[in-house]
Each structure stands twice: as C-alpha cells, then as structure tokens.
C-alpha cells in the first residue's frame, strides 16, 4: 500500500472525508507542497502529525478545500439569474428555498441575496449556505472582504449593502440575516429536498467523474420539479438528461 493510500484511508477514518473522490494529481500536488513546507518527508509522517495537532489539521483542511471566491463571479451569469431565472421561479413560489453548496467564504450566498433583493424584500429571503471547511464558514459569517472580491459588484449594490472599513468591505447585517451557514460534506451527508434553486459553482472541477456523478444525482433529487441548478462556467453538464435535468440557459439546468 502506497503512503498516499495509507494517508487517504487515515483521513477518511479521522474526518469522514474521502480524498479518493478528488482528482489525485491535483490533490497530491497541493498536499505534498503543504507537508514539505511543514518539514515532513512523506504522507505517513504527515498523517501521524495531523492526528495529534488540531491546528495542523485545520490548516490541512483549508489546503484541501478550494476557497477561491468573489462576489458576482462571471457577472453575465448573475444578470441571467436576476432577469430570467428568479422571475421564472417566483411565478410559482414567492418563498424560494435556495441552497449555496460549497459556499466557501460566503461571497456566493451573499450575492444571491443581493440579486434576489431586486424581486423580494430581504425579510422574505432565506438562503442555506454550506461548506466542508469550518474555518471558511467562520470567515463567511464575519462577512469582511478585500476590495478585489467586489470587482464585479454593481456600484449601486456595493453602496447599498457594504460598509467600508479601511481597506476592507463588510456586508451589512440586513444581508447577513438572510443567510444561514452550516457545515456539510457533499460526498457524505444527507441533502435536504424541495429546493427551488441550488447553486454549486467552480467546485466540481476538482472531483473525479465518479464523485461528480454522485453529486449531480443528489442535487437532482434535492430539487423540486421545475427547480434550477446553477453551475460554474467550466462545469457544463454534457448529459443533463441522465440526472433528469434539461438546459434552461447556459450553466442553468432545470429539473424535469
């Protein structure tokens, strides 16, 4: 058994996270860089240290998960969401059930609330946002971001929903109150059901085909009939019918 296989077996035992479902070359490269930086010579020694050191385990989880995010990422897709998808969904339900899956540091669910505020008062908006990494969820709850994260946010929205604090921008409490953050493992935990909209963007590219297949099938079951799955700009689903989905717009899929 290779030291990497021993490592992924040990991590699965310790955390429930199955690294075998992530693309091996990318994951090995990322983790080798981390253990070498920390002075370890192989995966077995690194695993032994992780089992004893909580801070090191948290740093490992941060490195393993992909925490690259920004508000209104790929802005044209958010325009489609605002002008086409939300009006479509609101025709049949004024209280939308929305899930931002693998939400990272919170830019995505907060963006969803800001876009939906064009159609509904904030008091009627409730978004579930989940991630595997407890550290990024704490950052998301804080809601404090560097200016570069707001590059695609329309200026009126920036003025309305952010307060500037020196070189950072803080999401206003009225937006924060619309989002509930929870820890969730897409590959292991149960999914809620009857969602009108599930957003999972720029995450699936890191998973194996087997893992993607499992997650897309679970997303489909979690959507109500007519609900929408919104994916990232590198994550087009080439066989949506396999998951009982059909194309609604570019990177938006509707549950049949």
């Amino acid at each position: 058994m290779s030291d990497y296989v021993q490592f992924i077996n040990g991590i699965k035992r310790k955390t429930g996270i199955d690294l075998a479902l992530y693309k091996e070359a990318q994951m090995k490269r990322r983790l080798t860089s981390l253990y070498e930086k920390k002075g370890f010579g192989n995966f077995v020694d690194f695993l032994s240290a992780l089992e004893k050191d909580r801070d090191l385990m948290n740093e490992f989880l941060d490195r393993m998960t992909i925490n690259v995010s920004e508000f209104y990422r790929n802005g044209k897709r958010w325009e489609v969401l605002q002008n086409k998808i939300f009006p479509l969904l609101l025709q049949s339900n004024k209280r939308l059930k929305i899930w931002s899956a693998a939400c990272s540091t919170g830019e995505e669910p907060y963006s969803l609330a800001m876009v939906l505020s064009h159609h509904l008062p904030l008091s009627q908006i409730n978004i579930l946002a989940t991630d595997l990494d407890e550290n990024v969820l704490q950052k998301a709850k804080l809601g404090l971001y560097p200016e570069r994260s707001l590059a695609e946010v329309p200026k009126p929205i920036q003025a309305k929903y952010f307060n500037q604090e020196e070189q950072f921008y803080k999401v206003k409490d009225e937006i924060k109150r619309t989002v509930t953050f929870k820890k969730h493992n897409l590959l292991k935990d149960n999914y809620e059901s009857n969602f009108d909209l599930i957003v999972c963007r720029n995450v699936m590219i890191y998973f194996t085909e087997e893992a993607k297949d499992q997650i897309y099938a679970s997303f489909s079951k979690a959507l109500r009939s007519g609900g929408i799955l919104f994916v990232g700009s590198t994550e087009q689903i080439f066989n949506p019918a396999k998951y009982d989905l059909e194309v609604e717009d570019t990177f938006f899929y509707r549950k049949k």
Side-chain angles (χ1 to χ4, degrees):
M1 187 187 297
S2 74
D3 66 343
Y4 183 66
V5 171
Q6 288 182 59
F7 181 82
I8 62 178
N9 288 344
I11 292 297
K12 186 173 183 181
R13 235 180 7 255
K14 181 83 175 168
T15 69
I17 296 165
D18 190 353
L19 295 181
L21 294 171
Y22 291 78
K23 290 179 180 173
E24 183 174 324
Q26 290 177 345
M27 187 56 69
K28 272 178 106 167
R29 198 163 51 243
R30 187 176 298 117
L31 296 179
T32 301
S33 164
L34 177 61
Y35 79 57
E36 288 177 347
K37 184 176 122 185
K38 294 294 179 182
F40 298 100
N42 56 59
F43 279 108
V44 174
D45 291 345
F46 187 40
L47 176 63
S48 178
L50 286 171
E51 290 176 335
K52 298 169 191 161
D53 186 335
R54 183 66 200 172
D55 290 338
L56 186 62
M57 178 63 83
N58 284 337
E59 190 172 348
F60 154 73
L61 288 170
D62 269 349
R63 183 62 65 93
M64 191 213 76
T65 51
I66 316 303
N67 300 316
V68 179
S69 190
E70 60 193 47
F71 290 90
Y72 285 68
R73 187 173 183 179
N74 312 117
K76 293 296 182 189
R77 297 297 91 206
W78 290 87
E79 289 178 17
V80 172
L81 181 67
Q82 179 177 321
N83 298 324
K84 178 181 177 181
I85 302 300
F86 275 141
L88 180 70
L89 292 172
L90 287 164
Q91 285 176 10
S92 54
N93 187 4
K94 296 299 182 191
R95 287 275 187 176
L96 299 181
K97 186 173 182 182
I98 299 171
W99 178 17
S100 171
C103 70
S104 186
T105 43
E107 291 93 331
E108 181 179 277
Y110 290 139
S111 295
L112 286 167
M114 292 171 195
V115 170
L116 188 50
S117 74
H118 290 276
H119 301 285
L120 291 174
L122 291 176
S123 61
Q124 292 180 27
I125 297 173
N126 198 339
I127 295 162
L128 172 66
T130 65
D131 202 275
L132 179 67
D133 186 340
E134 289 176 334
N135 292 334
V136 300
L137 290 174
Q138 289 305 314
K139 291 175 187 173
K141 290 174 186 176
L142 182 63
L144 190 66
Y145 301 95
E147 186 173 8
R148 68 177 181 274
S149 293
L150 280 69
E152 292 204 62
V153 178
K155 292 301 178 190
I157 292 292
Q158 186 172 316
K160 187 174 183 181
Y161 290 132
F162 292 87
N163 290 320
Q164 187 169 359
E165 296 186 0
E166 296 178 352
Q167 71 270 43
F168 292 94
Y169 288 80
K170 192 162 191 176
V171 177
K172 289 187 177 179
D173 287 347
E174 62 199 273
I175 289 292
K176 282 189 186 179
R177 282 192 288 268
T178 67
V179 181
T180 301
F181 291 101
K182 289 182 182 176
K183 184 177 179 182
H184 182 271
N185 184 339
L186 288 171
L187 291 163
K188 179 185 168 200
D189 295 334
N190 292 330
Y191 290 31
E192 291 184 27
S193 59
N194 291 315
F195 285 102
D196 296 281
L197 175 67
I198 297 174
V199 183
C200 187
R201 308 181 74 226
N202 310 302
V203 175
M204 303 295 274
I205 53 173
Y206 300 101
F207 289 123
T208 63
E209 291 305 313
E210 175 197 353
K212 285 183 200 173
D213 191 56
Q214 175 189 326
I215 293 170
Y216 282 138
S218 297
F219 279 153
S220 177
K221 287 177 186 169
L223 285 166
R224 67 162 177 82
S225 178
I228 298 288
L229 173 64
F230 178 19
V231 302
S233 57
T234 57
E235 298 171 324
Q236 184 174 357
I237 303 173
F238 292 104
N239 53 343
K242 179 181 180 182
Y243 309 106
D244 208 21
L245 300 170
E246 55 193 7
V247 175
E248 179 62 42
D249 204 300
T250 310
F251 308 118
F252 291 92
Y253 298 89
R254 178 162 42 87
K255 172 79 175 283
K256 293 179 185 175

